[in-house]
Amino acid sequence: INETLSVVIGTKFPQVITNQIDDMIYFPVDNKTRKQFSLLREQIMACTRGQKFLKKLVSIRWTRILDQMMNVKPTISFERVKRLSFECGLSLREINEMLGFFHEIGAIIYFSSTEALRQTIITDAQWLIKSLCLVIRDSMHVENKTHGYDMGEINKLGLATDL
């Protein structure tokens, strides 16, 4: 396992925390005895403590706006966030900083690379995943084998309900 993971991960993923005590890419854990579970927990805590966003002081106004945003599922418009933020006394620059921060920590999904993407903030990541799956696996493309599916083979293997 370690050799395979070393090949796959190589130097492409510098963010991967390795098990330096056992000189392995992964942390083997025995689910019955919980052997090595504390080592894994210690490594997770050490890595987490090192994250720069955990050291950032966040305005109570930001958390108030985040709470209000999270009450609107699955998306909220940038205009609505702007109104909520202006009511709390935030500037446009601070709104963009706040949205970028909440995106970085995974609280929301906010893309600012184009004007069209900036207009919608996703407050329910699972909704986005399900929506993307519908686009990728829509029945028209599955039946036309655009994505390389062989429906006959899938049915033969009993996997049709998984699509």
Side-chain angles (χ1 to χ4, degrees):
I1 295 174
N2 197 56
E3 288 176 25
T4 303
L5 287 173
S6 294
V7 170
V8 171
I9 292 172
T11 57
K12 296 180 213 169
F13 302 98
Q15 72 275 23
V16 172
I17 306 300
T18 60
N19 180 348
Q20 295 180 354
I21 292 172
D22 297 323
D23 195 29
M24 300 173 87
I25 296 289
Y26 67 101
F27 293 83
V29 176
D30 185 325
N31 289 328
K32 290 183 182 177
T33 65
R34 300 178 74 75
K35 184 180 174 194
Q36 294 233 2
F37 187 76
S38 16
L39 173 63
L40 176 59
R41 182 182 305 142
E42 288 169 18
Q43 290 296 312
I44 291 171
M45 293 305 292
C47 178
T48 303
R49 279 193 291 283
Q51 300 298 312
K52 65 180 178 184
F53 64 80
L54 290 177
K55 296 176 178 114
K56 181 173 176 70
L57 295 176
V58 177
S59 160
I60 194 73
R61 296 180 299 168
W62 285 21
T63 57
R64 180 176 173 215
I65 294 164
L66 178 63
D67 287 343
Q68 292 174 329
M69 286 171 41
M70 298 311 284
N71 286 329
V72 182
K73 301 282 184 178
T75 65
I76 185 169
S77 72
F78 182 77
E79 285 303 314
R80 186 162 177 190
V81 170
K82 216 162 60 168
R83 277 195 309 275
L84 294 170
S85 300
F86 286 160
E87 289 171 8
C88 290
L90 269 63
S91 67
L92 191 54
R93 182 197 57 75
E94 199 174 5
I95 294 168
N96 287 315
E97 183 183 347
M98 173 190 71
L99 292 172
F101 174 75
F102 287 142
H103 173 82
E104 184 180 341
I105 65 169
I108 61 169
I109 299 172
Y110 176 63
F111 300 111
S112 59
S113 56
T114 69
E115 188 58 36
L117 290 173
R118 267 192 290 278
Q119 297 311 307
T120 303
I121 294 104
I122 299 166
T123 56
D124 182 358
Q126 191 61 44
W127 169 83
L128 177 62
I129 292 167
K130 286 180 181 176
S131 299
L132 289 172
C133 285
L134 292 174
V135 171
I136 294 168
R137 298 186 308 189
D138 69 274
S139 59
M140 180 187 80
H141 288 97
V142 171
E143 289 172 14
N144 291 334
K145 299 181 186 177
T146 303
H147 297 292
Y149 294 120
D150 180 346
M151 285 308 291
E153 185 68 16
I154 289 171
N155 286 326
K156 186 172 99 179
L157 296 171
L159 299 173
T161 57
D162 292 338
L163 284 178

